[in-house]
Amino acid sequence: MTDAQDQVKRTRALSTYPLKVRLVFTLTLTTILVIGMGVSIEGACQIAYRVTRGSWLFLSKPEAPVVAFERHPYLVAAPKPNFQVDFIKHNSAGYRGPEVSIPKREGITRIVTLGGSTTYGAGAPEAATWPSILQRNLGEGFEVVNLGVPGYTSVENLIQTALLISDFQPDIAIYYEGWNDLRSVHVKNLKSDYSNYHPRALISSLNLSPPTPHDRSAVMYFLRSRYFSSSWQDPLSFIELEPGPLALTDQVDARALSLYERNLRSIVALNRSLGIKPVLIPQVLNYAKLTGDSRYGWLPYVKDKDIRSVLSEYNKTMQAVASDLGVLYIGDVLRDDFPDEAFIDNGHFNEIGAKRFADIVTERLKPTMSAN
């Protein structure tokens, strides 16, 4: 008997069984085939993960992300109070540095420093941040309070000035601005509060997006990596980022620059209304690393090689605001490029850079004040 004849015989024999039996047989066979295909696909994906990542996904364990920040109702995010991991520590007020007495102690000249991650001291121990070194330079009778937060722009610093720093009763407020404001350069139809892009990006950079589920299935891992994102749970993820007509050029974004100027003027006005002396410092970056024709990621629509020329317009605007409003502008930090060995990366200071920066600030600041 041939194979074909044998198959016909089996088919005829099966047809003699009751309908329910035939259905169960068909469903069982289909299920076995589907499971077999699924196992084969999963196995292939596990092997692909092993080849590309160097380990087996099904043996991996989820790593809890270090989250030093928390959601904030109008600042988007803020440092967690009383947080400590490795050399990063926040005091009970939620900022880097020692505990701050409120109200301020008598006989103390208190200085608050505001800015982004370079003021906060990302990647650096507390003693190697420029506000900490400024404190040591100024010595007894002065108190420097570091209110820098990674990712903060002049928008967040404006909000801090309007609503938060009065509790600290500072005599002087130093603003180190520019780098983070460049994130909104050439964003199409940029909103006056930067909300087209900046809030979503800040949530992502500070690890505040809903965590991605830990997949042991390689199929789910690759599907999630390719097509899905846990950010769908966050309404801010639906903000669409579109480039403006001058994106990825070295041309000035007049809209973004005008908002930056507005923010600086508002910051100065608020400080004066609170009886605080404002000080403005332009941004320093590691231009030795910013020479490529691509983007390193933090600034969506500015090429690395164009950052210097674009940022210089922001620094000039800060200088013009300071001159117009009679504010101390410490442009000496731009006198000579900081060398590559002064940075951890593209713009964050190591201790060498932080000391050089703090020494310049000290030199310009001291003649304008004296300890109480």
Side-chain angles (χ1 to χ4, degrees):
M1 183 181 293
T2 65
D3 290 343
Q5 290 172 327
D6 187 52
Q7 179 64 37
V8 169
K9 185 177 180 180
R10 284 199 303 269
T11 303
R12 286 176 178 172
L14 180 62
S15 66
T16 63
Y17 287 95
L19 178 60
K20 287 184 178 180
V21 174
R22 297 202 304 271
L23 287 174
V24 170
F25 178 82
T26 303
L27 288 173
T28 301
L29 182 60
T30 303
T31 301
I32 292 173
L33 290 173
V34 169
I35 292 174
M37 289 177 61
V39 170
S40 298
I41 294 171
E42 175 65 25
C45 289
Q46 288 283 354
I47 292 171
Y49 185 94
R50 176 70 173 83
V51 170
T52 57
R53 304 292 175 130
S55 61
W56 292 107
L57 178 59
F58 67 89
L59 295 177
S60 66
K61 295 181 180 180
E63 293 184 8
V66 176
V67 182
F69 305 88
E70 59 190 8
R71 295 290 186 107
H72 192 281
Y74 46 86
L75 282 169
V76 183
K80 283 183 179 179
N82 300 310
F83 172 87
Q84 183 169 7
V85 168
D86 298 327
F87 55 76
I88 300 295
K89 181 180 180 181
H90 300 163
N91 57 33
S92 61
Y95 299 101
R96 295 198 75 179
E99 288 296 325
V100 181
S101 59
I102 297 177
K104 181 180 65 175
R105 290 180 292 128
E106 290 187 12
I108 293 293
T109 297
R110 177 171 283 174
I111 301 169
V112 292
T113 62
L114 298 96
S117 52
T118 312
T119 300
Y120 175 85
E126 175 59 34
T129 66
W130 72 260
S132 180
I133 297 172
L134 177 63
Q135 171 70 76
R136 295 199 295 273
N137 287 352
L138 293 174
E140 191 174 345
F142 295 89
E143 187 177 39
V144 179
V145 180
N146 184 352
L147 303 185
V149 179
Y152 273 19
T153 68
S154 59
V155 170
E156 287 77 29
N157 294 156
L158 175 57
I159 294 171
Q160 286 178 295
T161 305
L163 303 176
L164 299 178
I165 70 173
S166 58
D167 277 352
F168 295 98
Q169 300 174 295
D171 301 284
I172 298 169
I174 299 177
Y175 295 83
Y176 181 38
E177 306 279 5
W179 190 7
N180 290 333
D181 284 81
L182 293 191
R183 305 193 80 188
S184 296
V185 167
H186 299 313
V187 170
K188 187 177 180 180
N189 299 322
L190 178 62
K191 293 184 178 180
S192 60
D193 57 2
Y194 293 178
S195 60
N196 304 53
Y197 169 65
H198 178 64
R200 177 186 61 179
L202 189 58
I203 284 173
S204 175
S205 65
L206 296 180
N207 291 325
L208 294 179
S209 295
T212 300
H214 178 69
D215 296 310
R216 291 188 184 275
S217 164
V219 172
M220 286 304 302
Y221 172 84
F222 286 116
L223 283 175
R224 198 183 304 281
S225 300
R226 178 64 179 86
Y227 296 108
F228 308 117
S229 169
S230 62
S231 63
W232 67 269
Q233 302 172 56
D234 195 320
L236 284 172
S237 68
F238 291 104
I239 298 173
E240 294 294 333
L241 180 66
E242 296 184 50
L246 298 176
L248 302 178
T249 73
D250 62 354
Q251 299 300 301
V252 173
D253 182 336
R255 166 71 171 168
L257 190 58
S258 69
L259 294 175
Y260 180 66
E261 178 179 352
R262 177 209 63 184
N263 294 343
L264 293 180
R265 290 182 177 275
S266 297
I267 284 170
V268 171
L270 281 167
N271 272 281
R272 287 178 169 165
S273 72
L274 295 168
I276 303 168
K277 178 180 179 180
V279 176
L280 302 179
I281 306 180
Q283 190 77 51
V284 174
L285 292 179
N286 185 4
Y287 293 116
K289 287 193 180 300
L290 298 171
T291 59
D293 198 49
S294 59
R295 296 163 287 168
Y296 70 91
W298 185 246
L299 311 179
Y301 294 133
V302 183
K303 295 179 181 179
D304 286 3
K305 67 178 184 180
D306 296 329
I307 290 176
R308 180 192 284 269
S309 62
V310 175
L311 184 57
S312 70
E313 294 301 319
Y314 276 66
N315 290 340
K316 289 175 186 176
T317 296
M318 177 184 280
Q319 182 178 20
V321 168
S323 177
D324 185 36
L325 299 180
V327 172
L328 177 60
Y329 170 78
I330 306 184
D332 304 64
V333 296
L334 302 177
R335 190 167 45 211
D336 299 301
D337 280 354
F338 279 52
D340 182 43
E341 55 266 25
F343 296 92
I344 297 171
D345 50 25
N346 296 333
H348 298 103
F349 294 132
N350 56 26
E351 188 168 7
I352 295 172
K355 185 178 188 312
R356 174 174 168 175
F357 186 88
D359 287 349
I360 294 172
V361 174
T362 305
E363 181 184 353
R364 287 296 313 278
L365 204 57
K366 265 193 169 181
T368 69
M369 62 185 189
S370 59
N372 293 335

